[in-house]
Amino acid sequence: MNNPKSFLLKILFSTIVLISTLNAQKTEIPAIVTLDWLEKNIENPNLSIIDLRPKDDYDKSHIRNAVNVPGLKNLFDDKFFMPKLDFLKELFSKSGINSDSLVLAYDNGEFIWAARFYWILETLGHKNVGILKVGFNKSLEKSIPLSNIEYIPKRKEFVPRVDNEKVQTKLSTLLAIGKKTIIDGRKKSHYTGKESFASRFGHIPTAENYACTQNYQVTANGNSIKNIDKLKELYKDIPRDKEIILYCDGGAEAALNYVVLQELGFKASIYDGSWLEWGNDSALPIDNPSKK
């Protein structure tokens, strides 16, 4: 007969493996989160819900147990780059996020603030993050519990593990011209050089224009990200054998394209300086269709 102690150890080991496997299955969150998923998982103790709207909007009504992290104030430094690592580490820790957290971000239906949060969190090594498929609106109360009481979560320790492949610099973007796919997420009038928030007008040479607003539709109950089949059709002409660099004015609109392209299976990264850096540097090349 086998050693009873050895047999019990094998049983214990198999049980631990099974529990670990089941836990791993429970900790998956889609990149684009439906209301059905949220309804089923809203009581999950590992779910951290982040509201990226201005505090005035949050105070009126928000998803219950959502933490308010106003996007414009927290997701950029004073030059519109990603904030410093120590700031973000503290921000995520006090928001109740650690390595076990399932993080759901939402905003008012522009989706760019939730997407910027998503991209920053992924860049710092956290993969269990998604954005809500719909913008916040009062009709959510039909299926999701809402509140007007500020939620202060229990602090957790967020440990960043920076993934440099998620972020591009001015130099790496310059070197990518003609080699990688570059996508401009601004509206057409900015891409064609009729408008600009920088001193120069136009776009990065070879960049293609996919305005981030194409990713969602306006509905009677607020804005909603398009279904996956429509998103596939939107991006069908982008080659899959090239890496993609995304930019916009300051890195928020590009983040929505990033989330969608990730969901579609593309490998993408964001030029954090975007047009506010590129368009203000006279040493860098531009293409301005409005001057042709």
Side-chain angles (χ1 to χ4, degrees):
M1 182 178 179
N2 292 333
N3 186 324
K5 184 176 181 181
S6 176
F7 179 75
L8 288 173
L9 286 173
K10 288 181 180 179
I11 293 294
L12 178 61
F13 177 78
S14 298
T15 302
I16 291 173
V17 170
L18 178 60
I19 291 173
S20 298
T21 300
L22 291 174
N23 284 339
Q25 292 174 345
K26 292 178 182 177
T27 56
E28 293 179 356
I29 183 170
I32 301 172
V33 178
T34 63
L35 283 176
D36 286 343
W37 187 97
L38 181 54
E39 285 182 67
K40 294 174 183 175
N41 292 274
I42 197 162
E43 300 299 335
N44 188 327
N46 286 332
L47 181 63
S48 294
I49 304 175
I50 308 297
D51 184 315
L52 280 300
R53 298 176 301 151
K55 191 173 187 305
D56 287 347
D57 292 339
Y58 173 86
D59 288 341
K60 292 174 184 175
S61 182
H62 54 264
I63 295 175
R64 190 185 67 196
N65 294 343
V67 181
N68 187 219
V69 181
L72 189 59
K73 178 181 176 182
N74 291 281
L75 305 183
F76 302 89
D77 65 11
D78 57 357
K79 294 183 179 179
F80 282 89
F81 285 87
M82 184 190 300
K84 299 297 183 184
L85 190 59
D86 57 349
F87 173 87
L88 292 170
K89 182 179 184 301
E90 176 63 18
L91 175 68
F92 296 147
S93 294
K94 71 180 183 182
S95 297
I97 299 172
N98 64 11
S99 59
D100 294 326
S101 299
L102 297 169
V103 183
L104 172 61
Y106 73 89
D107 58 29
N108 59 7
E110 292 179 283
F111 302 107
I112 59 176
W113 310 110
R116 173 84 176 176
F117 190 91
Y118 175 111
W119 171 70
I120 289 177
L121 206 54
E122 275 213 338
T123 300
L124 298 190
H126 192 88
K127 305 301 182 185
N128 283 329
V129 56
I131 68 172
L132 193 61
K133 191 176 189 292
V134 297
F136 183 86
N137 62 84
K138 288 291 289 182
S139 69
L140 293 183
E141 64 188 359
K142 297 175 183 177
S143 53
I144 305 297
L146 304 184
S147 173
N148 59 6
I149 300 172
E150 182 178 9
Y151 176 65
I152 306 296
K154 181 180 178 181
R155 180 187 175 90
K156 297 180 180 179
E157 291 305 314
F158 179 82
V159 179
R161 298 177 179 84
V162 179
D163 183 352
N164 290 315
E165 291 189 354
K166 302 290 186 184
V167 59
Q168 299 293 333
T169 65
K170 177 168 58 176
L171 177 59
S172 63
T173 303
L174 178 64
L175 295 174
I177 294 174
K179 300 181 179 68
K180 297 181 179 181
T181 299
I182 300 176
I183 290 179
D184 185 323
R186 299 174 299 162
K187 60 183 181 180
K188 187 175 181 180
S189 60
H190 285 248
Y191 174 80
T192 57
K194 294 179 180 178
E195 297 181 84
S196 180
F197 289 125
S199 60
R200 300 190 300 166
F201 292 66
H203 59 260
I204 296 174
T206 74
E208 302 173 47
N209 187 213
Y210 284 81
C212 77
T213 52
Q214 297 178 89
N215 294 310
Y216 62 86
Q217 57 196 7
V218 178
T219 72
N221 292 323
N223 295 348
S224 176
I225 295 177
K226 293 177 180 177
N227 292 332
I228 195 72
D229 56 338
K230 292 184 178 179
L231 294 174
K232 285 180 179 178
E233 179 67 19
L234 177 62
Y235 292 99
K236 66 179 181 179
D237 295 327
I238 297 178
R240 291 184 173 271
D241 59 346
K242 287 185 179 182
E243 293 183 21
I244 300 170
I245 295 179
L246 305 163
Y247 78 94
C248 54
D249 278 310
E253 293 165 304
L256 180 53
N257 284 346
Y258 172 86
V259 174
V260 170
L261 288 168
Q262 288 263 102
E263 184 75 347
L264 294 176
F266 291 93
K267 184 176 181 180
S269 56
I270 292 178
Y271 166 31
D272 192 29
S274 278
W275 188 250
L276 287 178
E277 180 180 47
W278 192 282
N280 284 317
D281 188 340
S282 59
L284 296 171
I286 62 170
D287 186 359
N288 187 352
S290 68
K291 294 296 184 181
K292 295 179 180 179

